[in-house]
């Protein structure tokens, strides 16, 4: 196996800048659309409690996001991956150092929380009669998923890579 590229998102200022720009774009467009919908469509009352719930649910979603990564690592690796958790550069992260997966399954691990947690943050408030809250929770969560999106972009941009290895500090792209 040949190592093509090592990626350390936690210490890569350029990648972090791209993530920040994408997060800001998602937030700005999402908030503008949300405000437009709130003005045009009927919605729940927005007051101090609404904002407290928005912040609390957004913070609670962070560890849930990482737990979904952990579950996806376990499922996709056939329960062989040894999962660890950490906090660095103001980011929570999940790692399975040494776990090597084909590109597609690794991207599934990366995107699982983006799909699952975002869907839950949207669906649960809608089911409880708070669609605007659900929309804003989903937007905030998506804006926080840009690290995962950036990794998928890097993986997809390297056609010679067949496999991805998770490392304690990021990922390595490998060729058979």
């Amino acid at each position: 196996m040949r190592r093509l590229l090592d990626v350390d998102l936690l210490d890569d200022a350029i990648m972090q800048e791209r993530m920040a720009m994408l997060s800001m774009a998602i937030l700005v467009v999402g908030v503008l659309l949300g405000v437009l919908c709130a003005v045009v469509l009927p919605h729940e009352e927005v007051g101090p409690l609404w904002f407290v719930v928005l912040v609390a649910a957004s913070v609670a979603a962070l560890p849930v996001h990482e737990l979904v990564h952990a579950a996806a690592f376990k499922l996709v690796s056939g329960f062989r991956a040894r999962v660890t958790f950490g906090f660095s550069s103001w980011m929570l992260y999940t790692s399975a150092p040494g776990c090597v997966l084909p590109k597609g399954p690794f991207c599934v691990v990366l995107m699982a929380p983006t799909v699952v947690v975002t869907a839950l943050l949207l669906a649960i408030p809608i089911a409880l009669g708070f669609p605007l809250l659900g929309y804003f929770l989903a937007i905030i969560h998506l804006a926080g998923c840009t690290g995962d999106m950036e990794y998928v972009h890097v993986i997809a941009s390297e056609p010679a890579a067949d496999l991805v290895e998770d490392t304690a500090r990021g990922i390595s792209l490998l060729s058979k």
Side-chain angles (χ1 to χ4, degrees):
M1 233 179 308
R2 187 168 56 103
R3 187 172 304 275
L4 302 173
L5 177 67
D6 291 319
V7 182
D8 179 356
L9 178 72
L10 299 174
D11 287 330
D12 188 325
I14 294 169
M15 285 181 75
Q16 288 183 10
E17 186 175 320
R18 282 197 309 258
M19 287 170 39
M21 295 298 287
L22 180 56
S23 289
M24 191 57 62
I26 291 169
L27 280 174
V28 168
V29 171
V31 167
L32 289 175
L33 287 174
V35 169
L36 178 64
C37 287
V39 169
V40 174
L41 302 172
H43 61 280
E44 66 267 19
E45 183 180 331
V46 176
L49 181 58
W50 189 93
F51 283 102
V52 168
V53 172
L54 178 72
V55 170
S58 294
V59 170
L62 297 172
V64 173
H65 177 110
E66 298 309 319
L67 289 171
V68 171
H69 275 309
F73 263 124
K74 289 290 192 180
L75 290 170
V76 171
S77 72
F79 293 90
R80 292 184 315 273
R82 185 180 161 283
V83 177
T84 62
F85 301 94
F87 179 77
S88 180
S89 300
W90 294 98
M91 291 183 277
L92 289 173
Y93 65 90
T94 301
S95 182
C99 181
V100 178
L101 297 170
K103 285 168 67 167
F106 200 94
C107 288
V108 167
V109 169
L110 289 169
M111 295 308 293
T114 302
V115 174
V116 172
V117 177
T118 303
L120 288 172
L121 288 170
L122 183 61
I124 292 170
I126 287 174
L128 296 173
F130 299 97
L132 190 64
L133 179 63
Y135 171 81
F136 278 101
L137 285 169
I139 290 299
I140 291 168
H141 183 255
L142 281 175
C145 294
T146 57
D148 299 329
M149 294 174 197
E150 183 66 24
Y151 273 142
V152 169
H153 171 75
V154 169
I155 292 166
S157 297
E158 184 53 64
D162 302 306
L163 302 167
V164 181
E165 178 183 9
D166 198 50
T167 68
R169 300 289 302 166
I171 59 171
S172 295
L173 301 182
L174 309 170
S175 176
K176 291 180 185 175

